[in-house]
Amino acid sequence: MSTPSFSNRFIGFIGLITIFVLLFFKAATPGLNWFIYSATAAITVFLLVPKTAIKDYIIPAVGLVISGLSVFIHSNALGIIATLLSFGYLGISLIIPKIDPFIGAITGIANYLMSPIGVLIRFFQKVGQKSGRFRGFFGSLIIPGILILFFGILYYKSSPSFTQLLDKISWDNVPQFIFTVILGVFSASILFYGFAPQSFNDMYQNLSNKSPKVSASLGGNDLSRSWQLGVWTLVVLLSIVVITDFQQRITGLTADDFTFASHLHQGVYASIFSIICAGVLSVITSNYLNSNHTKSIRVGNYVFIVLNVIFVLQNMVRNYDYVMQYSLTSKRLIIFIYLIMCLIGLAITAYTIYKNKSIGFLYKTNAFNIYIVVVMCTLFNWSKIITSYNVNNPYGSNKEVDFDYLFSLDRSNTPILNRHIDKMSKDELQRLEDRNRYNSTYYESDFREYILDKKRTAEQISTTNPFNN
C-alpha cells in the first residue's frame, strides 16, 4: 500500500488485531462479530487513505460490509465466502486501486497465504536491525520469549512442583488467546500488507488500453472481410438455433429421449461459454479492426447480441418449465441468477461496442457486475424464498410438494412449513415437530455470536408452532 505512511499503516494494523481479539476470543461462531469486524476494517481503510482516493475503495469496502451484514443476518456459507473474498479484494485494492473484483479476489485468495508469511519476514527484518534503542531491546527479547514459551509447554508436566507453580497462574485461556491473536495478525496482514505480483498489475493495465497489437494479431485489413463474413455466419447459425427452439415449442414435437433436465442443461451449458465468447468476439471485431467493413461488422454484432438475448430468454423459459415439473431448488435458482447476469453482460457488450471501448472495459465492467450480484445475493434468505414458492406452487400433475428437499434446507424455513402441515405425511410431521422443538428457543452464548435469522426464527416458531399444547 503506497498511500498512507508506514506509521499510519502500522497503527491500523495493530488496531485491527485488537478489534479481532475482542470480537473473536472465545466467540468463534460467525455472527454479529463478522459484521462488526468487516465494518471496522472498511472504516479503518477510509481513515488511512487520502480523502481524494476514497472513491477507489468504495466498491470493495461496501461489498465487505454488506457481506459481513449477511453473515450477521443469516450466517450461511454464501455470506461467509463472500466476506472472505471481499476482505482479500479490499486488501489488493490498497495496492492496485480500481482493480476489478475478479483479479482482486483471486489475488486476495493468494494473499491468505502470502501476506502472513510476508509480515513475518518483514518483522524479523525490522527487529534484526541495530538502529534504535527500543528496537534493539525488543529484538533481543523475541528469541528468548519464543524459547521460553516452547520449552515451558514441554516441561509443564516434568515436575509436580513445577506444575503446581504454573497452575497458580490461570492458563486455561492462554492457548486460545494466543491462537486468536495469531488469527488477528493473519487477518490484519491480509488487509494492510497485501502481496500483489507485478504481472497482475501489468495485465490489468494492458486490458485497460486498446493495443494496436490486437488488430495486427487478427490479420488487420487483410482479413477484415473474412471477419465480416464470420460474424454474419454466426448470426445465421444462432438464428437457426433460436428458430428451431421456437418451432419445437409451438409444435410440441420432441425426441423419444426428451427430458426437461436434458433440455435445460443442454441450453445452459451452451450459453455458459457462448455468451462469454460472443461478448469478446463482438467487441474485438467491432472496436479493434480498422477497415471499410467496420460498419457491417458492427451491425452484425448488434444482431448477434440480440439473438443471444433471445437465446438466454429461451433458456429462462426452459428453466421455468423444469421448475413447474419438479419444483424450485437452489441449483435452478442459481441458473435464473446466472441467466440474468448474462442479460446484463450482453447489455454491457452492446454499450462497449456503441462507445468504442476496450476489451478491458468489457472485462472490468462485467467483473463488477458479477461481484455486485453475488454480494447482494448474500442478503436474501434463499431457504425461505424456495420454501415459500414450493409450498404455494405444487409441482407436476399431482400437485406435489417435495418436503424431503425442503427439510434439507436451512432451518429458518420452519415457520413457513408450520403453515402447511395438512400436506405432510406422518413421518414428515414428526420431522417438523422435532424441528420446532430444536429451534423454538435461541440463546446466543455470547452477544458477539448473535445471528439475527435464528432469533427471528425462534420468535416466529412460538406463534406458528402447530404442536403446542
Side-chain angles (χ1 to χ4, degrees):
M1 185 173 64
S2 58
T3 43
S5 65
F6 173 79
S7 59
N8 287 338
R9 176 168 64 171
F10 186 71
I11 291 172
F13 178 72
I14 297 300
L16 206 59
I17 294 173
T18 305
I19 294 298
F20 185 94
V21 174
L22 292 174
L23 290 173
F24 292 97
F25 177 57
K26 301 186 72 173
T29 301
L32 179 60
N33 44 13
W34 278 58
F35 173 55
I36 295 176
Y37 186 70
S38 298
T40 303
I43 293 172
T44 303
V45 168
F46 286 149
L47 291 175
L48 292 181
V49 300
K51 292 183 179 180
T52 55
I54 287 179
K55 62 181 183 299
D56 296 336
Y57 312 104
I58 287 179
I59 290 182
V62 172
L64 175 61
V65 173
I66 292 175
S67 301
L69 177 63
S70 72
V71 175
F72 162 56
I73 297 174
H74 307 303
S75 190
N76 55 19
L78 178 60
I80 293 172
I81 293 172
T83 303
L84 293 175
L85 291 176
S86 297
F87 192 80
Y89 173 33
L90 180 59
I92 294 300
S93 297
L94 293 175
I95 305 172
I96 311 176
K98 300 180 181 179
I99 191 172
D100 65 90
F102 183 72
I103 294 180
I106 290 179
T107 316
I109 292 173
N111 267 342
Y112 278 95
L113 175 64
M114 297 302 301
S115 292
I117 296 175
V119 167
L120 185 63
I121 293 173
R122 292 187 186 109
F123 173 74
F124 281 109
Q125 287 175 342
K126 292 293 182 181
V127 298
Q129 295 174 358
K130 300 299 182 182
S131 60
R133 182 178 301 177
F134 175 77
R135 181 173 290 170
F137 175 74
F138 183 75
S140 64
L141 293 179
I142 189 68
I143 300 300
I146 293 175
L147 292 177
I148 289 174
L149 177 64
F150 179 75
F151 282 97
I153 295 172
L154 290 179
Y155 296 152
Y156 176 65
K157 292 291 186 180
S158 62
S159 167
S161 298
F162 186 64
T163 303
Q164 291 176 5
L165 176 64
L166 293 182
D167 283 345
K168 293 181 179 180
I169 307 173
S170 179
W171 293 95
D172 294 341
N173 297 323
V174 171
Q176 187 175 354
F177 179 79
I178 293 175
F179 181 71
T180 306
V181 172
I182 292 173
L183 286 180
V185 174
F186 176 88
S187 178
S189 64
I190 293 168
L191 186 62
F192 290 111
Y193 293 92
F195 166 81
Q198 185 61 35
S199 56
F200 277 108
N201 195 10
D202 293 340
M203 181 173 65
Y204 172 74
Q205 295 299 330
N206 291 334
L207 281 172
S208 301
N209 301 316
K210 291 175 64 177
S211 174
K213 294 181 180 179
V214 178
S215 178
S217 64
L218 294 174
N221 292 332
D222 296 334
L223 292 179
S224 62
R225 186 170 184 82
S226 180
W227 280 110
Q228 177 192 25
L229 180 62
V231 169
W232 282 103
T233 301
L234 287 176
V235 168
V236 174
L237 178 63
L238 188 54
S239 297
I240 295 174
V241 173
V242 169
I243 292 171
T244 53
D245 189 79
F246 275 125
Q247 182 182 16
Q248 181 270 324
R249 185 167 293 277
I250 293 172
T251 60
L253 298 176
T254 58
D256 294 336
D257 58 349
F258 172 86
T259 63
F260 284 98
S262 63
H263 186 53
L264 170 65
H265 294 158
Q266 289 167 3
V268 172
Y269 292 154
S271 68
I272 287 176
F273 294 107
S274 64
I275 299 298
I276 298 174
C277 294
V280 173
L281 177 66
S282 297
V283 172
I284 288 180
T285 55
S286 296
N287 296 358
Y288 286 83
L289 284 175
N290 298 316
S291 70
N292 297 328
H293 307 293
T294 301
K295 184 176 180 179
S296 175
I297 291 175
R298 279 177 169 253
V299 172
N301 279 318
Y302 283 130
V303 176
F304 189 46
I305 291 172
V306 171
L307 289 172
N308 272 283
V309 169
I310 297 174
F311 183 55
V312 171
L313 293 176
Q314 287 179 330
N315 280 300
M316 281 188 171
V317 174
R318 293 182 185 186
N319 195 35
Y320 178 75
D321 290 341
Y322 197 17
V323 169
M324 292 296 292
Q325 289 295 320
Y326 300 104
S327 76
L328 181 65
T329 65
S330 55
K331 291 182 179 179
R332 293 157 203 167
L333 187 61
I334 290 172
I335 291 176
F336 275 127
I337 295 173
Y338 163 74
L339 294 174
I340 291 173
M341 286 193 292
C342 284
L343 292 176
I344 298 173
L346 289 169
I348 293 172
T349 303
Y351 178 82
T352 304
I353 296 174
Y354 177 73
K355 290 295 185 179
N356 197 22
K357 299 284 188 178
S358 67
I359 193 69
F361 173 84
L362 175 68
Y363 159 75
K364 181 179 178 181
T365 309
N366 275 295
F368 281 109
N369 163 33
I370 296 171
Y371 176 69
I372 291 171
V373 170
V374 170
V375 168
M376 296 306 297
C377 282
T378 64
L379 293 174
F380 295 93
N381 188 317
W382 298 109
S383 175
K384 288 184 178 180
I385 291 174
I386 292 172
T387 303
S388 179
Y389 178 87
N390 283 352
V391 295
N392 291 302
N393 298 275
Y395 70 90
S397 57
N398 296 327
K399 300 299 180 182
E400 302 176 20
V401 177
D402 188 355
F403 285 106
D404 188 57
Y405 172 74
L406 298 181
F407 279 120
S408 70
L409 298 177
D410 186 86
R411 296 175 183 270
S412 60
N413 68 354
T414 304
I416 300 175
L417 294 174
N418 284 338
R419 301 186 184 96
H420 298 273
I421 59 174
D422 56 311
K423 304 174 185 176
M424 296 183 187
S425 65
K426 184 177 180 181
D427 291 339
E428 291 167 346
L429 287 172
Q430 183 61 53
R431 293 176 66 181
L432 181 62
E433 184 177 6
D434 294 340
R435 253 184 180 231
N436 277 275
R437 183 166 53 251
Y438 181 81
N439 296 282
S440 59
T441 56
Y442 172 65
Y443 300 104
E444 71 278 4
S445 58
D446 192 304
F447 80 95
R448 296 170 296 175
E449 299 176 320
Y450 184 79
I451 300 171
L452 185 60
D453 246 357
K454 289 188 176 181
K455 179 65 175 178
R456 291 191 304 191
T457 299
E459 293 174 349
Q460 291 170 356
I461 285 177
S462 64
T463 59
T464 62
N465 189 353
F467 304 100
N468 287 334
N469 295 325

